[in-house]
Every structure is written in structure tokens, then in C-alpha cells.
Amino acid sequence: MRFNSLCVLGLGYIGLPMASTFATHGLEVVGVDVNPEVLERLENGELHIHEPGLRTLVQAALRSGNLVVNDRPREADAFIIAVPTPYDRDRKADLSFVVAASESIVPVLRKGNLVVLESTSPPRTTVDVVAPILENSGLKAGRDFYLSYTPERVLPGQILRELVECARVIGGIGRASAEAGRELYSIFVRGEIILTTATTAELVKLMENTYRDINIAIANEFSRLADRFQVDIGEAIKIANKHPRIDILRPGPGVGGHCVSVDPWFLVEAAPDITPLVRTAREVNDGQPRFVVELAGRALGGSLDGRRVAVLGLTYKADVDDMRESPSVSIAHLLMDEGAAVRAYEPNTKGTNVEGLVSTGFVKTESLEEAVGDAEMILLLVGHKAFRQLKPQELAALTPARLILDAACILDAQQWRDAGFRYYRLHVGEAG
Ligand code: SAJ
């Protein structure tokens, strides 16, 4: 085997599972992170992120001795860059972590090494940003060392399974770089491995998340139409999806997380003149929290001022603990801006502190009971398992509220109406 040792730069949601998986497949892996707290916790076998099965995997990797952590890369056969690529206030890609990681590899880069970028990046980042930095070593990409781009495509909540089973696209600076990437990833990937160019692979990744964003945007826009025409959107989509070529996604409170709500902007930034659809879809999805708040106001008779609203769910989607870019958090802010008293319950995160919310009078409760105890309205925002299992009688015993707006579109309308609730699913009105 060509690869016996590996450095993984960035020990977040992607880098840590990746480093641990390679380590449990026999490679000597150095996991690199610039955050000393992350390193200290890992050295004690503790994790800074939550993902099903990850703790067991990381602990096994550390126990085997194949995974060690460090604050900078060491010489190795291969390097994987898996650092964040956030966007800044102007919605421009912030490549500073990719640049810093690439620079840190330069002193230890040797002839014959493979460097792989996994971070979601604007088109041409591998060619125009990473290659020139690495070439400061005096070695030439594609000739003296291999350089490829392979996007992570795993779904939070199912990372460990998808890491192994999903098809993987590997784009090289030249065919030999792509082939070297295949040799490395075929150590554990069971899905199909497709070889292409680095820029194609970058674009493929952005196309995937943009396609999802646009499809969610049309579902969200349909929910506004359904409200306008007094139709239950859940029922309408269910019927439309019986058509053999229609598959409308679920409308909801908006699009959050660190991927689908961010990546389309990389395309808009790279080619603003030819991406009006991409931009509009982003704007539609970013406008959905405002629509939900408007519905909440109407359901309460017009004004939110002084009204007591219980928000159920604060993470960006169901059954994860991640609140980054969460539409629920935006909705809580908007409700407070309108003068509502908000108490929110999030079963997947501990503690009562949500950055930016506590200071503005927001209350995050430790239990469902505390959140709904004196509420006038229940605003269901995330389809967590715990909420899908909610029974009307159980909730009725905890709260005086008999008004529920189900923006997650998960409850059985008839069941809640039969139990005496005014139940609305992304519409407000008597029809449906
Ligand atoms: N959402 C809806 N309606 C739907 C589906 C999703 O409103 O029908 C919302 C979710 O509630 C959430 C957001 O969209 O707020 C994104 O959730 P998601 O489950 O679609 O995706 P992520 O962000 O968790 O993961 C995506 C995945 N990309 C695609 O499915 C194309 C994953 O495969 C990628 O690896 C990941 O982005 C990433 O890291 O880029």
C-alpha cells in the first residue's frame, strides 16, 4: 500500500470521523487542530461534537494508538484538509482556514505526497488557491506531489454510515492525482469512486447543495401559496407527489445548518451575473422565518406584542444538536422583536444559554413543561423524534394553549383538531 501515514487537518464534523476511520483501518494518523481545547478534550477521550456512534469510533482509534492529535502537521504520506469554509458578512467565502492549513503543510511536504482538500470551496479553489501555496515548497503540483479535491457529502446524523457507503467524487490536478486519491479513499469507502478534475468535483459539491436549496425553496413558496388560498400544504404536497414525476420536498421554517444555507452563495459569488435562480432560492428560504412569524401573529389575532409563545425545537433540523444558522433561532429573535415573550425547549442540547438570545430576554427551558406551562400558542419548529411522538392529551395536560402552529409539518392534523386544538400547518385559516 502506498499510504501508511496521514495527517488530517481540522477535527470537526468531517475531519474527526475521517481521521478515526482511517486510523481504525490501520493507517498512522495525526489529527491536527489549531484549537487547544479540542486537542485537550480528545486527549482525554472526550468529544466536542455530537454524532451518533462517533464517540465509540474515536475512542477505539485513540486506544489503538493509530490516532494521535497535534497542533500542527507532521511528515506523512498524505494530508487531508477538512477545515471550515464559512462565509463572511457579505456572503463571500472565507478561505482563511483553507489558506492557513495549506501553509502549515508546506514545511513538511515531500516528493510523492498526496494532498486532498475536502472542505466545500468555491470553484477553482484547489487550482488557484491551494496549489500555489503548496508550491511554495519548491515542489510542483501534479508532478512532484499529487493534489486532489474530494467533497464530503455526508448527512449530519448519519455521518459514519454515509462516509463509508456514499459514492465519492475525486477530482485531481491531472489523472495521477485523482488515481492517488482513489488509492487513499478506497481503504474504507465502499460506495462508487468517480474520478474527474478538481474543478468539476468542486462544482459538483456546490451543485448538490444548491439543488437541494432550490427544491426546498419551491416547497416553502408553495406553503405561502397554500396559506394565501387557505389550503393545508401537507395534504396538497401528498397529493401532488402521487404524480410519477413529482417529488416535492417538505416546507418548513427555513433552511439552516452549515451547508445548504451557505454553499449556494459560493456560486453566486463566483458568477453573480448568471445565478439569479440560485440567489432567489436563497432569499426565499431566508425569508421563511419571517413568514412563520407572520402566521404566528395572525393566528394570535393580529399582534404578537405581549403574547406568550412556546417554541419547540432550536436546532437547524430534526434529531441533531447543531444550532448553526438555525431558522428556529431566527424565528425566536423575530418573535421577540415583535414583543412576544418566548420560552423555547430544545431536547437535544443541554443548558439554557443560546448565544445572542439570553441577552435579549429569551428563555431556553430545560423541559417541555416549563416551555409550554403558561403559553398561549405552541410553535412547533423542528421535527425531532420526541415531538413526533407528542400526544394531544399529554400536551393539553401541560399547557393552557389550545393553538398549535406546526411549521415542521409533522403532526396529524385530524388527531389534534379532534382533541380540541386549533391546529395549523404553515397556514392560518379555517380551511384544510
Ligand atoms: N429541509 C427542509 N425541507 C426538506 C429537507 C430539508 O426544510 O425537505 C431543511 C432542514 O430542516 C435543514 C436544511 O434544510 O434546515 C438542510 O438540511 P438537509 O437535511 O437537507 O441537509 P444538511 O445540511 O444536513 O446536509 C446537506 C446534505 N446535502 C444534500 O443532501 C444535497 C449532505 O449530503 C451534505 O454532505 C451536507 O449538506 C454538507 O456537508 O454539505
Side-chain angles (χ1 to χ4, degrees), residues 14 120 152-156 162 205 208-209 212 216 220 249-252 254-260 263 316-318 327:
I14 301 303
T120 305
E152 60 82 10
R153 299 158 106 191
V154 289
L155 196 70
E162 291 206 349
K205 167 71 192 190
E208 289 168 357
N209 279 353
R212 191 146 175 88
I216 300 168
N220 283 336
L249 293 181
R250 255 190 4 267
V255 169
H258 217 47
C259 310
V260 178
D263 300 353
Y316 85 92
K317 69 172 187 176

Side-chain angles (χ1 to χ4, degrees), residues 52-376:
L54 186 58
R55 174 179 297 274
T56 313
L57 176 69
V58 173
Q59 286 174 347
L62 289 167
R63 253 199 323 271
S64 73
N66 281 350
L67 175 64
V68 295
V69 295
N70 198 29
D71 62 355
R72 75 198 69 171
R74 296 184 193 144
E75 279 189 27
D77 298 328
F79 300 85
I80 294 177
I81 301 173
V83 296
T85 43
Y87 60 9
D88 62 21
R89 281 176 183 280
D90 302 326
R91 293 178 167 145
K92 305 264 186 269
D94 172 1
L95 293 179
S96 57
F97 299 108
V98 170
V99 168
S102 305
E103 285 169 350
S104 75
I105 294 172
V106 172
V108 288
L109 188 64
R110 300 288 173 259
K111 218 171 172 176
N113 281 170
L114 165 66
V115 181
V116 182
L117 177 63
E118 278 226 19
S119 314
T120 305
S121 302
R124 294 194 60 85
T125 300
T126 310
V127 176
D128 290 345
V129 179
V130 178
I133 295 173
L134 294 174
E135 287 177 350
N136 287 334
S137 62
L139 302 172
K140 178 107 185 93
R143 187 190 69 195
D144 302 322
F145 68 95
Y146 303 104
L147 176 60
S148 31
Y149 178 80
T150 176
E152 60 82 10
R153 299 158 106 191
V154 289
L155 196 70
Q158 300 184 28
I159 291 180
L160 298 194
R161 187 175 61 76
E162 291 206 349
L163 201 59
V164 174
E165 289 177 10
C166 268
R168 193 164 266 276
V169 190
I170 303 182
I173 304 273
R175 184 74 188 179
S177 288
E179 295 282 4
R182 169 159 45 202
E183 205 173 319
L184 178 64
Y185 282 88
S186 59
I187 290 172
F188 71 81
V189 170
R190 297 283 154 261
E192 186 186 358
I193 296 182
I194 306 125
L195 303 190
T196 181
T197 68
T199 307
T200 306
E202 288 164 347
L203 192 62
V204 164
K205 167 71 192 190
L206 297 172
M207 281 164 49
E208 289 168 357
N209 279 353
T210 301
Y211 176 86
R212 191 146 175 88
D213 196 42
I214 289 173
N215 279 284
I216 300 168
I218 192 68
N220 283 336
E221 198 156 288
F222 286 156
S223 75
R224 298 174 198 183
L225 285 164
D227 173 56
R228 171 79 52 93
F229 297 110
Q230 295 288 289
V231 161
D232 181 319
I233 185 63
E235 186 193 359
I237 290 178
K238 205 164 149 188
I239 297 169
N241 281 351
K242 296 224 183 271
H243 185 290
R245 284 175 296 283
I246 303 296
D247 189 9
I248 300 169
L249 293 181
R250 255 190 4 267
V255 169
H258 217 47
C259 310
V260 178
S261 71
V262 175
D263 300 353
W265 288 116
F266 292 180
L267 291 179
V268 175
E269 179 190 354
D273 52 327
I274 49 172
T275 47
L277 178 61
V278 178
R279 172 190 284 276
T280 302
R282 272 289 63 245
E283 286 166 356
V284 168
N285 287 332
D286 278 351
Q288 193 72 351
R290 166 72 55 200
F291 169 63
V292 172
V293 170
E294 185 205 312
L295 289 181
R298 269 200 272 138
L300 282 168
S303 169
L304 282 158
D305 197 21
R307 309 306 289 270
R308 298 183 304 281
V309 180
V311 163
L312 303 193
L314 285 173
T315 57
Y316 85 92
K317 69 172 187 176
D319 302 325
V320 298
D321 68 342
D322 190 344
M323 292 195 279
R324 287 179 298 177
E325 316 286 336
S326 171
S328 305
V329 174
S330 306
I331 288 171
H333 273 297
L334 291 168
L335 289 168
M336 289 186 296
D337 291 348
E338 299 286 328
V342 179
R343 297 173 82 82
Y345 172 54
E346 171 43 64
N348 286 359
T349 62
K350 286 202 169 58
T352 52
N353 198 359
V354 182
E355 207 181 323
L357 288 180
V358 174
S359 57
T360 42
F362 175 86
V363 179
K364 179 172 181 277
T365 66
E366 292 281 23
S367 71
L368 175 64
E369 199 165 352
E370 280 174 83
V372 301
D374 72 344
E376 294 172 78

Side-chain angles (χ1 to χ4, degrees), residues 370-398:
E370 280 174 83
V372 301
D374 72 344
E376 294 172 78
M377 171 185 212
I378 312 290
L379 187 50
L380 178 51
L381 296 181
V382 183
H384 288 312
K385 192 165 171 230
F387 299 151
R388 289 197 297 272
Q389 291 167 345
L390 266 182
K391 296 271 174 295
Q393 294 77 5
E394 282 165 19
L395 192 66
L398 300 178

